[in-house]
Amino acid sequence: MFLLSKLFWVFAQPLSIAFLLATLAAILAAIGWRRLSGLSAFLSALTLFITLFTTTGVVALQVLEARFERPAKDPAEVSCMIILGGAFDNEINTARGGMELNQSADRFVEALRLARNHPEARILVSGGDGSISGTFEGEAQTAERFFSAFGISPDRLIKENTSRTTYENSLNTAELLKAQGLKNCLLITSAFHMPRSVGLFAKAGITVTPWPVDYRTSGVVMPGLDFTQPALNAQITTTAVREWMSLAAYYLTGRISSFFPR
């Protein structure tokens, strides 16, 4: 299932769909099916236009980010926090060492802030190597270097270094929390990723306090045209499409109890 989902996403993201439709248009034109070729070419151009030059992706991501509000203030006490992986560049870190962070770095920056303010809190980092090859260093392993570099004792860390998907995050984390006797943890992940994560953890019987970070939108963008940042629009649209598709897939397979968990 893991490999299938990875391969599916290679072809299901917006720019890949546009490319496949353009390729299909060329093939249909070559065999003389000009009407179907024209339709395929039009759909390819439409997909590109929506992806590159509209705010569709931003609006779709805003809906996800608005599902769980950012807490107004820190909790008085924090016994534990769960950080979902996806913030380190595992390929680069495996080749070069160090702890290169990607766009989701806020997950660990916020966890570090909370860890320093709440020295009694345990830190569970859930994330292995989610690549197809499976040959890179796991996220939890890199996290130990990250926290140690800022003076956080490795004794506070609980490393879950085998999960490759959010579904596996929830199952593996549930086992570790029970073994450690930890309850009511903060769940730290990207705001757009929080609905699916909360749904999965609820299904696994874990009570968490959502702690969304890594916002990608302002939250106030309206549907419309945007010719100023096509590359960024494409990136945001791809993220939004993937997350909404994942919500649908997890709901249809029974991994979450509702399509849009609250």
Side-chain angles (χ1 to χ4, degrees):
M1 182 63 72
F2 168 74
L3 182 59
L4 182 63
S5 65
K6 287 287 188 179
L7 293 176
F8 173 78
W9 180 241
V10 170
F11 300 103
Q13 49 193 297
L15 294 182
S16 294
I17 291 174
F19 172 77
L20 292 173
L21 285 169
T23 302
L24 178 61
I27 294 173
L28 291 172
I31 62 177
W33 293 8
R34 300 196 176 279
R35 287 188 177 181
L36 288 177
S37 174
L39 176 61
S40 185
F42 170 76
L43 292 175
S44 174
L46 180 62
T47 302
L48 281 175
F49 182 80
I50 292 173
T51 300
L52 298 173
F53 302 119
T54 74
T55 61
T56 302
V58 176
V59 172
L61 203 66
Q62 283 181 165
V63 176
L64 292 164
E65 292 184 336
R67 195 61 165 173
F68 292 90
E69 293 185 4
R70 183 198 293 271
K73 59 181 180 179
D74 285 0
E77 296 182 1
V78 178
S79 61
C80 66
M81 62 185 84
I82 303 165
I83 314 166
L84 298 188
F88 289 108
D89 194 315
N90 294 339
E91 182 177 0
I92 292 176
N93 290 331
T94 301
R96 295 179 178 274
M99 45 191 180
E100 295 296 327
L101 291 155
N102 59 31
Q103 194 172 1
S104 299
D106 282 0
R107 300 183 189 187
F108 281 89
V109 172
E110 177 67 0
L112 175 62
R113 185 186 71 82
L114 290 168
R116 292 170 70 92
N117 291 341
H118 299 275
E120 75 286 355
R122 300 294 302 279
I123 307 165
L124 193 156
V125 182
S126 180
D129 177 14
S131 68
I132 293 178
S133 67
T135 58
F136 303 133
E137 179 180 77
E139 192 107 355
Q141 193 64 37
T142 312
E144 182 173 352
R145 295 199 299 274
F146 174 84
F147 284 110
S148 294
F150 291 95
I152 304 299
S153 172
D155 294 339
R156 295 175 62 185
L157 298 184
I158 305 170
K159 295 182 291 183
E160 189 286 291
N161 208 32
T162 61
S163 60
R164 302 165 297 174
T165 66
T166 309
Y167 176 62
E168 292 179 359
N169 284 145
S170 63
L171 296 181
N172 296 338
T173 298
E175 294 181 2
L176 285 173
L177 291 177
K178 290 177 183 177
Q180 297 283 335
L182 297 172
K183 298 180 180 179
N184 300 319
C185 299
L186 300 184
L187 178 61
I188 303 174
T189 191
S190 301
F192 69 84
H193 187 235
M194 189 61 78
R196 180 159 56 107
S197 301
V198 168
L200 285 167
F201 276 77
K203 191 77 171 181
I206 307 173
T207 300
V208 295
T209 299
W211 203 266
V213 295
D214 179 32
Y215 287 84
R216 309 287 176 91
T217 73
S218 65
V220 296
V221 174
M222 299 298 292
L225 301 178
D226 179 11
F227 296 101
T228 64
Q229 49 185 14
L232 181 58
N233 288 338
Q235 183 183 57
I236 291 176
T237 302
T238 299
T239 300
V241 168
R242 182 170 190 170
E243 196 59 32
W244 281 109
M245 288 176 62
S246 296
L247 281 167
Y250 278 27
Y251 176 62
L252 292 173
T253 56
R255 292 182 171 182
I256 55 179
S257 298
S258 62
F259 171 65
F260 197 21
R262 181 180 292 279

